């Protein structure tokens, strides 16, 4: 398949990138909340937001680092109150994902952002889960939920959140760690993750987005994560790169997010190609598409145009996305067969 793909010309790459089936493994559902939906929900729920219009809100999306984004992202999520709101948000994302030929989505949600405002765990999870079921039935998209702990909050609060979520254990497949990275290293949550591991939950964590390679090491060795979210700082540590390659630890890379949060000065400087060349299981994802200017195919198309990645690398990234996902081996095979068929038909 890789040999075949190498004959696909650069002009036809965007169409190939759009058409190829793919999995999205790093999407914060609250980061898919478009300004139009924020305003509609604010009105529906009688919530005040400090922006006069959709345009004014969009203009505020000029970020200098992760924290400058998080402040506005948590403010946007304040319009979510009812189960239907969570459903509507997730359904809008899943329709958008299906249009990009995403056939599998593993979706982060931040329950503490909502429970802190008096919204119940039941409301959050039931709304999101219903949209995932609907996506399977109506769109042919397989979708699962991953509960993220906010790392700027305490270990005790993470344990409380886990307790609140356990009655809905069958509605999420794993846990993650997000929010402000620097100053909140993975080890702060080692005991919570150990408990989640005993419960049979999948484990992932954001590490090496802005934080140092040391945070990727501790995510691996202390939290025992199966995937690293972002992880782009790993290229600064040769021993870490070897470890990630040897153990085939996937990285869920988010190029447009990295650009918007100034992790790389320009998209052409992104290290995705370097990660692939080193043999890492790197994947492409959208992170917070409503805030960072693009969904899955925008991430693929803009990154390939800026960095000169080629069709064999497109194949590798899509293949990696299925290999890195938490679906069973037979589903991985089915999606990879579909990917092969798409490439074969394209030539
Ligand atoms: N990093 C950390 N926390 C987040 C992000 C991110 O990119 N997006 C939403 N929460
Ligand atoms: Zn993220």
């Amino acid at each position: 398949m890789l040999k075949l793909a190498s004959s696909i010309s650069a002009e036809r790459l965007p169409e190939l990138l759009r058409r190829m089936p793919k999995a999205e493994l790093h999407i914060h559902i609250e980061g898919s909340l478009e300004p139009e939906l924020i305003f509609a929900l604010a009105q529906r729920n009688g919530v005040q937001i400090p922006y006069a219009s959709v345009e004014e809100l969009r203009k505020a999306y000029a970020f200098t680092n992760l924290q400058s984004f998080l402040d506005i992202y948590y403010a946007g999520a304040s319009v979510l109150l009812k189960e239907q709101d969570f459903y509507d948000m997730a359904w809008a994302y899943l329709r958008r994902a299906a249009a990009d030929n995403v056939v599998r989505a593993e979706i982060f949600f931040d329950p503490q952002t909502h429970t802190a405002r008096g919204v119940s765990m039941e409301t959050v999870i039931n709304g999101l889960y219903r949209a995932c079921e609907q996506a399977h039935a109506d769109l042919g998209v397989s979708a699962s939920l991953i509960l993220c702990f906010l790392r700027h909050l305490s270990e005790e609060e993470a344990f409380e959140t886990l307790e609140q979520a356990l009655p809905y254990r069958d509605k999420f497949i794993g846990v993650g760690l997000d929010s402000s990275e620097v100053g909140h290293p993975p080890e702060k949550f080692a005991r919570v993750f150990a408990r989640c591991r005993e419960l049979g939950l999948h484990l992932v964590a954001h590490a090496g987005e802005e934080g140092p390679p040391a945070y990727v090491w501790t995510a691996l060795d202390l939290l025992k994560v199966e995937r690293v979210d972002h992880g782009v700082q790993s290229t600064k540590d040769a021993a870490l790169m070897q470890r990630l390659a040897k153990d085939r630890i996937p990285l869920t890379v988010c190029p447009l997010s990295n650009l918007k949060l100034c992790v790389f000065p320009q998209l052409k400087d992104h290290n995705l190609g370097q990660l692939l060349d080193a043999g890492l299981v790197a994947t492409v994802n959208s992170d917070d598409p409503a805030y960072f200017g693009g969904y899955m195919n925008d991430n693929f198309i803009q990154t390939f145009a800026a960095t000169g990645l080629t069709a064999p690398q497109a194949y590798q990234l899509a293949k990696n996305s299925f290999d890195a996902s938490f679906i069973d081996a037979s589903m991985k095979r089915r999606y990879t067969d579909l990917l092969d068929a798409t490439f074969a038909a394209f030539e």
Side-chain angles (χ1 to χ4, degrees):
M1 191 48 58
L2 291 181
K3 209 167 117 247
L4 282 173
S6 61
S7 69
I8 295 169
S9 68
E11 304 85 77
R12 297 180 70 216
L13 251 181
E15 185 54 27
L16 178 69
L17 293 166
R18 272 191 281 272
R19 249 198 252 173
M20 69 181 188
K22 51 190 76 76
E24 172 144 60
L25 307 177
H26 185 160
I27 159 77
H28 301 264
I29 201 62
E30 294 88 352
S32 74
L33 200 49
E34 291 284 348
E36 288 79 4
L37 190 52
I38 291 179
F39 270 80
L41 293 177
Q43 192 160 42
R44 193 158 98 186
N45 291 330
V47 175
Q48 296 288 331
I49 44 172
Y51 298 93
S53 65
V54 164
E55 293 71 38
E56 198 184 303
L57 178 56
R58 254 210 187 90
K59 262 197 218 131
Y61 294 179
F63 313 115
T64 51
N65 57 23
L66 175 59
Q67 193 60 50
S68 66
F69 153 71
L70 290 171
D71 293 341
I72 211 161
Y73 160 86
Y74 294 128
S78 69
V79 300
L80 297 159
L81 292 181
K82 312 233 167 68
E83 187 187 307
Q84 188 66 35
D85 305 338
F86 290 90
Y87 172 89
D88 289 346
M89 170 174 64
W91 181 243
Y93 161 71
L94 286 159
R95 285 180 51 158
R96 198 64 194 62
D100 280 1
N101 288 312
V102 170
V103 293
R104 165 74 180 167
E106 298 181 4
I107 301 173
F108 297 145
F109 68 108
D110 285 344
Q112 288 160 296
T113 303
H114 314 300
T115 54
R117 299 178 290 111
V119 178
S120 73
M121 185 67 79
E122 180 183 23
T123 297
V124 176
I125 294 185
N126 285 350
L128 298 177
Y129 188 76
R130 189 156 58 86
C132 291
E133 286 192 312
Q134 188 91 41
H136 198 240
D138 292 2
L139 305 171
V141 175
S142 153
S144 299
L145 298 171
I146 295 177
L147 181 157
C148 283
F149 300 112
L150 298 181
R151 68 202 303 158
H152 68 275
L153 301 179
S154 68
E155 178 196 44
E156 188 188 349
E157 286 164 300
F159 267 118
E160 277 168 23
T161 300
L162 179 61
E163 279 308 312
Q164 290 165 5
L166 282 184
Y168 314 98
R169 168 68 186 84
D170 58 325
K171 295 193 167 81
F172 60 101
I173 61 166
V175 298
L177 188 62
D178 65 2
S179 189
S180 320
E181 184 184 8
V182 175
H184 301 283
E187 48 268 38
K188 184 174 161 186
F189 298 94
R191 291 186 292 194
V192 184
F193 271 62
R195 177 73 188 121
C196 291
R197 194 156 178 255
E198 285 170 2
L199 290 164
L201 288 158
H202 286 292
L203 308 178
V204 300
H206 284 54
E209 178 184 14
E210 289 183 341
Y215 285 21
V216 179
W217 281 111
T218 49
L220 294 172
D221 291 334
L222 299 180
L223 300 189
K224 304 196 185 302
V225 298
E226 298 159 78
R227 292 197 298 247
V228 172
D229 296 311
H230 292 294
V232 291
Q233 301 300 332
S234 302
T235 53
K236 292 177 175 161
D237 181 336
L240 176 58
M241 291 291 280
Q242 278 176 13
R243 166 77 183 278
L244 294 166
K246 177 175 73 67
D247 290 350
R248 288 188 56 76
I249 304 289
L251 300 189
T252 61
V253 177
C254 307
L256 289 180
S257 165
N258 294 154
L259 177 68
K260 290 290 169 10
L261 300 188
C262 308
V263 172
F264 295 94
Q266 295 186 62
L267 205 49
K268 71 171 176 52
D269 304 314
H270 200 284
N271 64 12
L272 178 61
Q274 189 186 344
L275 297 169
L276 290 173
D277 288 346
L280 267 60
V281 185
T283 63
V284 166
N285 306 271
S286 72
D287 206 4
D288 300 282
Y291 292 89
F292 299 150
Y295 287 79
M296 278 293 264
N297 288 354
D298 302 308
N299 270 275
F300 273 105
I301 291 167
Q302 291 185 41
T303 305
F304 274 63
T307 61
L309 292 176
T310 59
Q313 288 162 316
Y315 178 87
Q316 191 64 54
L317 286 163
K319 169 94 167 44
N320 287 350
S321 75
F322 298 128
D323 288 346
S325 75
F326 295 137
I327 49 180
D328 67 26
S330 73
M331 283 306 292
K332 287 185 188 187
R333 179 100 303 274
R334 268 175 62 181
Y335 288 138
T336 305
D337 287 347
L338 182 64
L339 176 65
D340 287 355
T342 305
F343 269 69
F346 201 80
E347 278 161 303

